[in-house]
Amino acid sequence: MSEAEDDINELDSETENGDVEMCLMSEVDYSEQAPTYKSRPGGEAVPKVKQVEFNDNPDSLFFNDGKRRIDLVLVYEDESKHASDKKGSIFRRKQRRREVFEGSLMDFGVELEATQSVIDEKLFYVKLHMPFDTLCSYAELLHIRLPIKPNDLATQSSTYNCFTKYFYPSEDVIPKETSFFTAPFKKDQLNSFYVKDQEQFFTPAMRSRMAYYVLNRAPYDVKGSMKKYGFSKLMNGGVYKDAYPLHDCRFNVKSKEPKCPNERFLLYNEWANPKSFYKMQPLNLIRKYFGEKISIYFAWLGFYTFMLFLAAAVGLGCFIYGYSNRESSTWSKEVCDPLIGGQIVMCPQCDKDCPYWRLNITCESSKRLCIFDNYGTLVFAVFMSVWVTLFLEFWKRYQAVLEHDWDTVEFLQQEEQPRPEYEARCTHDRINPVTQSKERVPYSACGKCMRMSCGIGTVLFWILLIIASVVGVIVYRLAMFIVFSSRLRSDWKNRKELEPFKEYVTPQMATSLTASIISFIVIMILNNVYEKVAIWITDFELPRTKTEYENSLTLKMFLFQFVNYYSSCFYIAFFKGKVVGYPGQPVYWFGAYRNEECDPGGCLTELTTQLSIIMTGKAVWNNIQEVLLPWVKNLIFRHCTQVGSEKVIPRWEQDYQLQPIGKLGLFYEYLEMVIQFGFVTLFVASFPLAPLLALINNMFEIRVDAWKITTQFRRIVPEKAQDIGAWQPILQGVAILAVATNAAIIAFTSDMIPRLVYYWAFSVSPYAGSSNHTMAGFINSSLSVFNTEDFSETSRPDATVSWSNITTCRYRDFRYPPGHHNQYEFSKYYWHVIAAKLAFMIVVEHIVYFTKFMLSYMIPDVPEALKEQIKRERYLTQVILHETNIKQFKELMKPVADTLQDQVEEPELDLKF
């Protein structure tokens, strides 16, 4: 059975007599859901959509009459004339559903006009227009806020305007919009609102949003009280191919239509064009053209990028400090010194096949470690903990301003309606706890609990699978370290031309590099799998509104991505090299693989390598996908459907040649940025250049996303959004976790604490002969001694790789030497270091958390000036509406008052006579 037949069978089921059996999906009171809904008497024919020829005006945004604006376009394919008998019945069924659906739209007060494609005769475009009266009805239903009068409150100019004005688009190009006092629309109070022109009263974004709302609630099958509806069902069944609002012009050419505002052209030139990379974003125009949901994303991304400038500058300063001191650090000098590091023989790091080796071969890696493991890193980690708090708090303030300016403060409480998929499955009755009235829900309390339990269980199962993949990469590291140790040794010995690379390509570095690349590939593959799993689980849970749906999906996808992207970094930072035993008694994984040890310089370099590969690879791959993929698809589509130069292609057909935006809109853009935010904050103590890489990527990301949705995608159906949704608490959770991870990296992954303990305690008497604090001798004190006679048979190096006359070797740990009465047990130095690490964690965390709390308390979420403005606006709005109501009441009562006055005057005249 074909895919199209499966989709249709989801919509219908036929009885043995060939009749269509109607499935009772929901009984909806359309008097509440659709104020303009009209029922047809039984047997009345469904009204047909008028089909017209294209009028050869490619820039037109109107019906053929040039007066009714196109608010939405539906596309369908009619193959009934060219189909076989079996497929012909499927297409006739689609046609019947299409006719009923379009008839329902007309019953809802929507006007339709159909036009055949000039490129493909099988394609048809149905244009939708919402008359003013219909728009008023749905504006009241959706509680859309509309202007009452111009805002006469003086806005306070920012002290930074004198600087930032040079980076904003010129007001001659993008005029500043007039600010209005607004209120939820009421049809019976139309005179209270600022209706200067009925055609301009509702913006194109509002019109398209209301048209799409009607689209999702118009039934496509009606029999008595039984109705089936949901435009997504028609899309999945192939009845329609897409629904989209029109771009107002071509992105690089102005429209010749006199009524066209050419907003797409302005957005491309002043925002999406690479030449405008230095300009601030025209957020009001983005909101006007694409809606609040898109504009709030770009507002957040722009604010995040702006805040990264400070973090990147401090991080770059920290990197320069470490780079300039890499040659002068005492411990790297001791490693590279032939008389110190060159005389220290290190124990093999694997069983049998690994040889002894001298410490000075890690000279270059020790210098690289000094770049990232220094006191500047500690300062930078504390700074980033404060920075992330400032970022979140100032974003809340900026978001509050946008909510007020864009009239989304009360959006979630008033405007958002249930999803059609939710409404279609409402079969259970319950008492609403707020209204105490009966309402219908898709599941009982027990059913909801079962769905949530299944969802949570599935999420946990797939998270465990991700962890299993990480364990697989760890096993690869353990196995390949042995291979690289023996293979590189033979290569250095047999091929003299490779001798210069001996200091740079160590077995640890080769294992780390290849494992990081494999880990990145596995991450990108698993992303596609987990995306489908998360969507399936969320669909099964059946959230009520689109916001609830996206929040639920957001949490699941972030959990998957968190484990997927960060698990390898957590392993390197907090587990690798921590439980390895000592050469005589190493620790094994699964009884076969010897646990990995860190490089003598520590695991911080490897963590830096992992972060840089994943961050850079992810950014490059995503940008290639976002730029190249839609461009190539559009190029192929245009090539396959190209027509003669004499053909004129209408605006709606030009838009259909672009790519659809997808059901989740910019969800993946948010996810990409939040994952990046985690890399910038969670592990920044090991990689101070992470904010700089993020800044460079984001400067490209803003323009790439703008170019993509402006030039390569069909226009998005505008949606409202109050804030960034579930991403806000996720960012706050990452910020809290970042304090603990960075403190733990400094304490347990870097060598900063052991160095400080040596400098302040063990470099002077009674542990050393010197009376002055010094770092000289730190390398010798951080390496324990092992007697080669104490190797077990399984770990003893083979004779072919062992060195002659070697009686002792060194390893990275703090244990008593052989011959001591507590030989190979942890020394006093070890317990001093552990105590210092724990004390550092506790003190730093408490100081940073207290600082974050104080900053959060001192910075209010809503600016005081905005609070006063909101109060003033509400007061004036109430006065205006109250005065309007009194005026309307007086106008209604005037005939009654005149009649009463006449009745009073008549008896007085009679008395005079």
Side-chain angles (χ1 to χ4, degrees), residues 584-621:
Q585 292 185 0
V587 177
Y588 293 90
W589 279 61
F590 310 115
Y593 298 100
R594 180 171 170 174
N595 201 2
E596 281 187 285
E597 296 182 31
C598 289
D599 187 88
C603 288
L604 201 67
T605 305
E606 187 172 346
L607 179 59
T608 304
T609 303
Q610 180 84 356
L611 283 171
S612 58
I613 288 176
I614 293 180
M615 278 193 70
T616 306
K618 180 175 177 291
V620 172
W621 174 253

Side-chain angles (χ1 to χ4, degrees), residues 406-417:
W406 293 349
D407 293 323
T408 59
V409 176
E410 298 176 350
F411 161 66
L412 293 179
Q413 291 77 15
Q414 293 186 352
E415 291 189 40
E416 194 165 25
Q417 302 295 321

Side-chain angles (χ1 to χ4, degrees), residues 120-414:
D120 186 351
E121 62 178 7
K122 294 184 293 184
L123 285 179
F124 287 84
Y125 297 87
V126 181
K127 296 163 282 184
L128 279 64
H129 169 74
M130 300 275 286
F132 184 76
D133 184 67
T134 305
L135 289 170
C136 290
S137 299
Y138 284 97
E140 182 175 1
L141 173 68
L142 297 175
H143 303 279
I144 293 178
R145 299 182 68 90
L146 289 165
I148 295 178
K149 63 170 291 186
N151 187 347
D152 55 0
L153 295 178
T155 56
Q156 297 179 355
S157 60
S158 173
T159 54
Y160 303 103
N161 281 353
C162 58
F163 174 75
T164 59
K165 66 180 182 180
Y166 298 105
F167 296 94
Y168 280 98
S170 172
E171 292 189 7
D172 297 332
V173 179
I174 302 179
K176 187 176 181 180
E177 293 187 3
T178 305
S179 178
F180 288 93
F181 294 129
T182 60
F185 183 77
K186 292 185 179 180
K187 190 175 181 179
D188 58 355
Q189 295 183 347
L190 179 61
N191 294 332
S192 305
F193 291 86
Y194 190 78
V195 187
K196 191 175 182 180
D197 180 2
Q198 286 190 358
E199 294 299 321
Q200 303 296 327
F201 183 59
F202 296 101
T203 65
M206 291 179 184
R207 299 175 67 103
S208 299
R209 187 159 65 94
M210 286 188 276
Y212 200 77
Y213 176 84
V214 177
L215 211 65
N216 278 301
R217 282 152 181 82
Y220 57 79
D221 214 339
V222 181
K223 182 179 286 186
S225 62
M226 294 180 293
K227 306 175 182 70
K228 291 182 181 180
Y229 63 100
F231 185 73
S232 58
K233 273 291 194 181
L234 297 179
M235 288 272 290
N236 294 335
V239 178
Y240 288 99
K241 300 180 77 67
D242 201 3
Y244 54 90
L246 293 180
H247 283 296
D248 61 3
C249 64
R250 296 173 64 184
F251 70 87
N252 56 353
V253 179
K254 277 191 173 184
S255 173
K256 298 178 181 178
E257 183 74 27
K259 297 181 182 179
C260 180
N262 288 296
E263 291 174 348
R264 185 190 188 193
F265 178 79
L266 292 176
L267 284 172
Y268 174 74
N269 283 288
E270 300 297 327
W271 178 47
N273 196 314
K275 296 179 181 178
S276 302
F277 76 94
Y278 66 93
K279 292 184 180 180
M280 304 293 283
Q281 302 182 88
L283 293 176
N284 286 325
L285 183 59
I286 298 171
R287 175 229 179 182
K288 184 180 178 182
Y289 193 76
F290 289 113
E292 288 80 4
K293 196 163 193 176
I294 300 297
S295 56
I296 197 72
Y297 162 74
F298 283 103
W300 175 81
L301 180 56
F303 186 82
Y304 171 44
T305 305
F306 176 77
M307 290 292 290
L308 278 173
F309 274 99
L310 179 60
V314 178
L316 182 61
C318 178
F319 174 80
I320 293 173
Y321 169 79
Y323 186 83
S324 60
N325 292 328
R326 74 189 190 285
E327 300 287 349
S328 59
S329 63
T330 305
W331 51 88
S332 64
K333 285 181 178 179
E334 290 186 348
V335 171
C336 299
D337 193 338
L339 299 179
I340 302 177
Q343 299 299 318
I344 297 177
V345 178
M346 302 296 294
C347 297
Q349 291 188 309
C350 67
D351 298 335
K352 294 187 178 298
D353 294 328
C354 293
Y356 298 99
W357 52 284
R358 297 195 183 276
L359 182 62
N360 64 343
I361 69 171
T362 63
C363 175
E364 291 301 322
S365 63
S366 176
K367 291 180 180 179
R368 287 196 300 269
L369 179 65
C370 293
I371 299 175
F372 302 104
D373 191 4
N374 53 68
Y375 300 122
T377 305
L378 171 60
V379 176
F380 184 60
V382 175
F383 165 79
M384 285 300 295
S385 299
V386 176
W387 173 88
V388 73
T389 303
L390 294 175
F391 163 65
L392 293 175
E393 293 303 317
F394 283 122
W395 164 247
K396 290 178 185 177
R397 291 169 61 86
Y398 184 46
Q399 184 174 255
V401 175
L402 294 178
E403 287 178 10
H404 172 260
D405 292 345
W406 293 349
D407 293 323
T408 59
V409 176
E410 298 176 350
F411 161 66
L412 293 179
Q413 291 77 15
Q414 293 186 352

Side-chain angles (χ1 to χ4, degrees), residues 57 94 221 248 309 348 405 501 523 530 556 603 729 751 768 782:
N57 183 2
K94 290 182 181 180
D221 214 339
D248 61 3
F309 274 99
D405 292 345
F501 300 98
I523 285 170
Y530 300 140
K556 294 179 183 62
C603 288
D751 270 346
S782 64

Side-chain angles (χ1 to χ4, degrees), residues 477 571-579 596-598 603 606:
R477 301 169 70 101
Y571 165 73
I572 295 172
F574 306 123
F575 296 99
K576 182 183 177 183
K578 300 301 184 291
V579 184
E596 281 187 285
E597 296 182 31
C598 289
C603 288
E606 187 172 346

